[in-house]
Amino acid sequence: MNTQESGFFTEENSADVVIARNAGTEDARLKEVMEVLTRHLHAAVKEIEPTQEEWFKAIMFLTDTGHMCNEWRQEYILLSDVLGVSMLVDAINNRKPSGASESTVLGPFHVDGAPELPLGSNICLDQKGEPMLVRGRILDTDGNPIAGAKIDVWQANDEGFYDVQQKGIQPDFNLRGVFRSDAEGGYWFRGVKPKFYPIPDDGPVGKLLGALGRHPYRPAHLHYIISADGFETLTTHIFDPDDPYIASDAVFGVKESLMAEFVPVDDPARIDAAGFDGPFLEVAHDFVLARP
Ligand code: BEZ
Ligand code: FE
């Protein structure tokens, strides 16, 4: 008798038997996903040949990962981040036409409802850190300005913490703001130089990174979500190319095109024009939005 037809399971035909058992799946996409997953998972298990103890350890790792999740913490997304899967899914879903700005991970620290502010506003509400002017233009792929684009920005402070990680220490909505590009597509706002920081590493994903000899740090960056009618929304960052972790981001979010120089400015006229009372860093970066 053909073992595949009878559904009897052997080490050799394991994936085929399981896939055949799922033949009645009505949802064609689910059927396809389960078939691919089953094939690759069985192949991995055959290659690894785990002991029962190792398999139980893997089950407990996933159990602990689930237990770490709550309203504020999504340990599975962190796992996907450090495995490079978040960036792979992002890449697959954000293939851009040539010239359009590249995307990167959203991360867990975006907050809805940040205040909409006039261009030039200072998003640093506690005056802590090295002052920074961020400016640039929002353009289409032909180089035309996009007026009225919504630019939602957020960043960590000079110690590498977001406001939501330091409630009662940082003011609410510190280092967050929503701006609209002007008629020339221009945007500018003031903030402070962000610092590198560790992704949350007090859970199973942090332990895994430790066991793999990896650090949990992300290089200093500014987050953006840029949206405009008639264009694809862009979720991205800009990075400090001189950051010590620029070549080893724990979540693989860095792209060459997203580097932005932090240039010191000490010319008194420019200090005055930018609204600072001393030297500052200037970060200039344009973004190009793709049409759907
Ligand atoms: C972030 O940049 O905010 C971030 C991204 C992925 C994991 C943790 C933090
Ligand atoms: Fe971040």
Side-chain angles (χ1 to χ4, degrees):
M1 194 178 13
N2 181 322
T3 48
Q4 203 171 320
E5 279 169 18
S6 75
F8 291 141
F9 186 102
T10 67
E11 184 178 332
E12 290 69 34
N13 71 6
S14 65
D16 290 338
V17 170
V18 175
I19 290 164
R21 184 72 58 84
N22 295 339
T25 310
E26 276 181 25
D27 181 328
R29 179 68 169 158
L30 176 64
K31 189 174 178 189
E32 180 194 6
V33 168
M34 288 305 295
E35 176 170 343
V36 174
L37 271 182
T38 303
R39 232 183 312 112
H40 287 271
L41 184 59
H42 281 236
V45 171
K46 282 173 189 178
E47 187 173 341
I48 296 165
E49 298 194 326
T51 63
Q52 295 285 1
E53 289 72 24
E54 284 170 336
W55 188 240
F56 187 67
K57 211 171 155 185
I59 299 285
M60 287 318 294
F61 171 78
L62 294 175
T63 305
D64 294 344
T65 300
H67 284 159
M68 199 72 198
C69 295
N70 58 39
E71 202 187 337
W72 309 109
R73 176 80 175 253
Q74 232 306 350
E75 195 75 357
Y76 280 110
I77 296 183
L78 277 186
L79 180 57
S80 150
D81 293 342
V82 304
L83 293 176
V85 176
S86 301
M87 278 304 292
L88 184 55
V89 173
D90 183 75
I92 289 166
N93 284 279
N94 290 285
R95 294 180 185 126
K96 304 278 186 199
S98 120
S101 294
E102 293 189 284
S103 60
T104 189
V105 277
L106 172 66
F109 298 120
H110 178 255
V111 170
D112 285 331
E116 189 147 342
L117 301 168
L119 288 167
S121 298
N122 195 342
I123 60 173
C124 178
L125 305 179
D126 60 5
Q127 281 76 52
K128 235 173 68 42
E130 203 177 347
M132 170 185 78
L133 174 71
V134 186
R135 64 172 183 81
R137 295 175 80 201
I138 313 298
L139 304 166
D140 69 16
T141 47
D142 296 323
N144 302 308
I146 303 175
K150 183 179 173 192
I151 304 153
D152 188 342
V153 295
W154 68 105
Q155 61 160 101
N157 71 2
D158 64 323
E159 294 181 80
F161 292 104
Y162 289 92
D163 57 347
V164 291
Q165 295 175 291
Q166 290 193 312
K167 283 193 179 292
I169 298 173
Q170 292 188 43
D172 287 349
F173 294 115
N174 193 33
L175 296 167
R176 296 175 189 276
V178 176
F179 298 92
R180 294 272 173 185
S181 57
D182 69 9
E184 282 78 50
Y187 75 91
W188 62 101
F189 62 92
R190 290 175 292 154
V192 289
K193 189 178 187 210
K195 192 182 174 194
F196 58 80
Y197 63 82
I199 63 168
D201 67 340
D202 55 344
V205 171
K207 262 196 226 154
L208 176 66
L209 287 180
L212 295 172
R214 282 172 56 180
H215 69 71
Y217 289 96
R218 299 214 64 210
H221 56 271
L222 289 147
H223 289 262
Y224 288 79
I225 299 176
I226 305 174
S227 52
D229 287 345
F231 294 90
E232 282 188 359
T233 296
L234 173 67
T235 299
T236 196
H237 308 353
I238 52 177
F239 291 92
D240 174 5
D242 298 324
D243 188 277
Y245 297 106
I246 198 68
S248 61
D249 182 2
V251 305
F252 307 97
V254 179
K255 293 179 178 177
E256 190 74 46
S257 67
L258 303 178
M259 305 288 176
E261 298 290 336
F262 289 58
V263 181
V265 177
D266 55 12
D267 170 20
R270 294 192 59 205
I271 290 172
D272 205 40
F276 291 116
D277 41 7
F280 66 94
L281 296 166
E282 186 175 41
V283 184
H285 196 83
D286 295 343
F287 294 94
V288 179
L289 300 189
R291 292 187 195 273

